[in-house]
């Protein structure tokens, strides 16, 4: 796989697949610029070499063609400020406007194309659409790890139309850090698996059971484990069909000597609301009419002690409904424990998605070893699956 540092972009027009799928508020202002900041070094390398950069991305999930809220035009002002230049914007990602702007692009300049997913051909992996995109540049760079698990036109299919295919800095760092955790983790190794559904995380959990010393399970999926152990969960999130899976995880953990940790207390609420009546509940019996929305203080203490004494920490998924301030304490406390472990010398990988948002919202982004920009892609890579976007760069 060619990497950025082994390639000279002088005089080249680099067509760069970036991941600018960032959250916007109702006024189309960017609320989390993690993914935007991450790709800046890749673009700077291309420009510094004397090349130009043509950026392509998706944003949101447009249902039927162009829509204002999903336009990448909303990203232009941010890019102008980040690169201290006027970034050109094409009103389409293919066609006359995009072609004319790409053709006239000079070394040191940046062009942003409109949302790829305004065309249904992008997600279908359409070869003709990929070929049209490919004609805009001389060299292909993929720095969108967050979409590397999708066999889309711009992430995988397009690579076949280029002699030179280069792995960007974000993609390279994501792969290097994931490999470090999977293949070279210092012990003790602790994985914290949060989030709502056992079914979303079971493959990564099964992989981790042969690698970790401690496996902390929290968030909504902990209640399926409560039920599997004979507890009751009230109106908490529950995947009845995953109870056998939970029992299997518990059994494998015993066989492999993994310290499987579940919450010992929970903050429970009458309703799924920040302002709901709430109280602390101990054990795995949650009363009827109540739902678990966060871990309690004793769980925080037990989890934090294990995390702080680890040499490697992988965290994927919040421990509660951290969007609600009254039920965010567990997630924030776990984040603080990961930071303390890192300061003591541990390697900490934050696995994208909500965990990354929690770390960044707390201002801890620079206090952990690495914050992944790809939630689903990281999980699939760690599950041992081939990522089409990575395979295309290796072909």
């Amino acid at each position: 796989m060619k990497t950025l540092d082994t390639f000279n972009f002088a005089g080249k027009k680099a067509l760069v697949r970036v991941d600018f799928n960032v959250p916007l508020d109702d006024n189309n202002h960017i609320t989390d610029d993690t993914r935007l900041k991450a790709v800046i070094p890749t673009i700077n390398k291309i420009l510094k070499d004397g090349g130009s950069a043509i950026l392509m991305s998706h944003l949101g999930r447009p249902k039927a063609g162009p829509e204002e809220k999903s336009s990448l035009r909303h990203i232009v002002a941010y890019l102008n400020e980040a690169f201290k230049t006027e970034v050109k914007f094409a009103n389409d990602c293919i066609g006359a406007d995009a072609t004319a702007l790409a053709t006239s692009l000079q070394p040191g300049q940046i062009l942003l194309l409109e949302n790829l997913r305004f065309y249904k051909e992008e997600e279908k992996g359409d070869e003709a659409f990929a070929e049209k995109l490919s004609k805009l540049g001389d060299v292909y760079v993929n720095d969108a790890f967050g979409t590397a698990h999708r066999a889309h036109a711009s992430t995988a299919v397009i690579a076949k139309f280029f002699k030179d295919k280069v792995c960007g800095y974000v993609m390279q760092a994501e792969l290097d850090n994931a490999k470090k955790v999977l293949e070279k983790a210092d012990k003790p190794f602790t994985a914290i698996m949060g989030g709502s559904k056992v079914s979303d995380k079971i493959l990564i959990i099964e992989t981790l059971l042969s690698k970790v010393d401690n496996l902390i399970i929290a968030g909504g999926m902990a209640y399926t484990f409560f039920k599997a152990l004979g507890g009751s969960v009230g109106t908490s999130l529950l995947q009845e069909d995953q109870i056998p899976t939970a029992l299997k995880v518990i059994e494998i953990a015993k066989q492999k000597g993994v310290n499987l940790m579940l919450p010992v207390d929970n903050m429970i609420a009458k309703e799924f609301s920040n302002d709901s009546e709430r109280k602390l509940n101990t054990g795995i019996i949650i009363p009827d009419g109540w739902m678990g929305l966060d871990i309690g203080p004793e769980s925080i203490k037990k989890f934090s002690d294990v995390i702080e004494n680890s040499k490697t920490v992988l965290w994927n998924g919040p421990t509660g409904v951290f969007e609600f301030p009254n039920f965010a304490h567990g997630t924030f406390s776990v984040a603080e424990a990961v930071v303390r472990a890192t300061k003591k010398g541990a390697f900490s990988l934050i696995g994208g998605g909500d965990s990354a948002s929690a770390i960044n919202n707390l201002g801890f982004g620079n206090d952990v070893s690495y914050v992944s920009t790809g939630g689903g892609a990281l999980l699939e890579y760690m599950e041992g699956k081939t990522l089409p976007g990575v395979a295309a760069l290796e072909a």
Side-chain angles (χ1 to χ4, degrees), residues 172-206:
Q172 189 179 347
E174 293 276 4
L175 296 172
D176 289 348
N177 283 297
K179 282 176 186 168
K180 184 170 181 177
V181 165
L182 284 176
E183 298 167 12
K184 302 169 191 163
D186 290 333
K187 301 281 194 168
F189 177 6
T190 297
I192 309 145
M193 291 284 119
S196 56
K197 293 182 178 178
V198 177
S199 54
D200 290 345
K201 303 283 171 74
I202 186 55
L203 291 175
I204 182 72
I205 287 172
E206 287 177 347

Side-chain angles (χ1 to χ4, degrees), residues 35 145-150 200-201 316 351-353 372-383 385 387:
R35 288 175 170 174
F145 180 76
T147 57
H149 58 317
R150 309 288 189 203
D200 290 345
K201 303 283 171 74
N316 184 281
S372 175
T373 58
L378 181 72
L379 286 180
E380 291 199 17
Y381 184 76
M382 289 191 149
E383 289 163 6
K385 293 178 182 172
L387 304 188

Side-chain angles (χ1 to χ4, degrees), residues 131-187:
E131 187 172 13
K132 287 176 186 174
L133 287 169
S134 74
K135 294 189 184 305
L136 299 174
D138 310 314
V139 51
Y140 174 64
V141 178
N142 193 346
D143 213 21
F145 180 76
T147 57
H149 58 317
R150 309 288 189 203
H152 293 172
S154 69
T155 60
V157 181
I158 194 171
K160 69 169 66 175
F161 299 107
F162 287 91
K163 180 171 75 74
D164 293 317
K165 299 168 285 199
V166 184
C167 174
Y169 286 137
V170 174
M171 181 81 82
Q172 189 179 347
E174 293 276 4
L175 296 172
D176 289 348
N177 283 297
K179 282 176 186 168
K180 184 170 181 177
V181 165
L182 284 176
E183 298 167 12
K184 302 169 191 163
D186 290 333
K187 301 281 194 168

Side-chain angles (χ1 to χ4, degrees), residues 278-296:
R278 63 189 190 277
K279 66 180 180 180
L280 181 65
N281 188 74
T282 303
I284 62 171
I285 308 290
I286 293 175
D288 289 347
W290 291 80
M291 64 181 78
L293 294 184
D294 196 12
I295 57 174

Side-chain angles (χ1 to χ4, degrees), residues 32 35 316-318 322 350-360 371-376:
D32 183 350
R35 288 175 170 174
N316 184 281
F322 83 107
I350 312 303
D354 288 337
S355 316
S357 295
I359 281 282
N360 289 321
V371 181
S372 175
T373 58

Side-chain angles (χ1 to χ4, degrees), residues 17-312:
R17 180 47 160 108
V18 292
D19 184 2
F20 284 174
N21 186 30
V22 295
L24 304 173
D25 65 18
D26 292 340
N27 296 313
N28 296 319
H29 295 140
I30 298 159
T31 57
D32 183 350
D33 66 351
T34 305
R35 288 175 170 174
L36 298 171
K37 285 195 292 192
V39 79
I40 289 173
T42 291
I43 299 167
N44 277 337
K45 162 70 163 86
I46 294 164
L47 303 182
K48 189 179 173 189
D49 279 0
S52 54
I54 301 164
L55 312 179
M56 55 180 179
S57 179
H58 73 286
L59 173 62
R61 294 180 176 176
K63 293 286 185 285
E67 56 182 36
E68 173 61 20
K69 70 175 182 179
S70 297
S71 174
L72 280 164
R73 187 183 298 279
H74 306 310
I75 312 295
V76 174
Y78 180 97
L79 297 177
N80 287 342
E81 181 63 29
F83 293 101
K84 302 294 185 243
T85 188
E86 185 182 340
V87 171
K88 298 178 185 300
F89 181 73
N91 293 314
D92 200 345
C93 57
I94 54 174
D97 186 45
T99 301
L101 284 166
T103 302
S104 64
L105 205 62
Q106 299 300 307
Q109 293 185 324
I110 302 170
L111 167 64
L112 175 63
L113 305 177
E114 183 56 285
N115 195 335
L116 294 162
R117 289 192 188 172
F118 284 171
Y119 288 87
K120 61 183 184 298
E121 290 86 348
E122 161 66 1
E123 291 181 89
K124 288 182 176 177
D126 184 85
E127 194 163 309
F129 178 68
E131 187 172 13
K132 287 176 186 174
L133 287 169
S134 74
K135 294 189 184 305
L136 299 174
D138 310 314
V139 51
Y140 174 64
V141 178
N142 193 346
D143 213 21
F145 180 76
T147 57
H149 58 317
R150 309 288 189 203
H152 293 172
S154 69
T155 60
V157 181
I158 194 171
K160 69 169 66 175
F161 299 107
F162 287 91
K163 180 171 75 74
D164 293 317
K165 299 168 285 199
V166 184
C167 174
Y169 286 137
V170 174
M171 181 81 82
Q172 189 179 347
E174 293 276 4
L175 296 172
D176 289 348
N177 283 297
K179 282 176 186 168
K180 184 170 181 177
V181 165
L182 284 176
E183 298 167 12
K184 302 169 191 163
D186 290 333
K187 301 281 194 168
F189 177 6
T190 297
I192 309 145
M193 291 284 119
S196 56
K197 293 182 178 178
V198 177
S199 54
D200 290 345
K201 303 283 171 74
I202 186 55
L203 291 175
I204 182 72
I205 287 172
E206 287 177 347
T207 299
L208 290 170
L209 281 169
S210 61
K211 299 178 186 296
V212 301
D213 302 290
N214 308 294
L215 176 60
I216 295 170
I217 290 180
M221 67 176 173
Y223 305 117
T224 299
F225 281 80
F226 281 16
K227 189 80 169 175
L229 290 167
S232 55
V233 299
T235 53
S236 306
L237 196 63
L238 173 66
Q239 284 187 291
E240 289 269 9
D241 63 326
Q242 293 297 314
I243 288 173
T245 303
L247 287 168
K248 180 178 158 194
V249 168
I250 292 165
E251 183 55 36
I252 294 172
K254 275 183 194 163
Q255 290 171 5
K256 294 187 178 291
V258 173
N259 175 29
L260 177 63
M261 302 181 72
L262 293 165
V264 294
D265 56 353
N266 292 269
M267 291 305 300
I268 61 173
K270 279 279 191 183
E271 298 168 356
F272 188 76
S273 162
N274 182 58
D275 302 319
S276 171
E277 180 186 350
R278 63 189 190 277
K279 66 180 180 180
L280 181 65
N281 188 74
T282 303
I284 62 171
I285 308 290
I286 293 175
D288 289 347
W290 291 80
M291 64 181 78
L293 294 184
D294 196 12
I295 57 174
E298 191 58 31
S299 300
I300 288 170
K301 184 178 184 306
K302 287 180 180 294
F303 292 173
S304 296
D305 286 346
V306 167
I307 292 165
E308 284 182 56
N309 288 301
S310 301
K311 292 292 184 197
T312 303

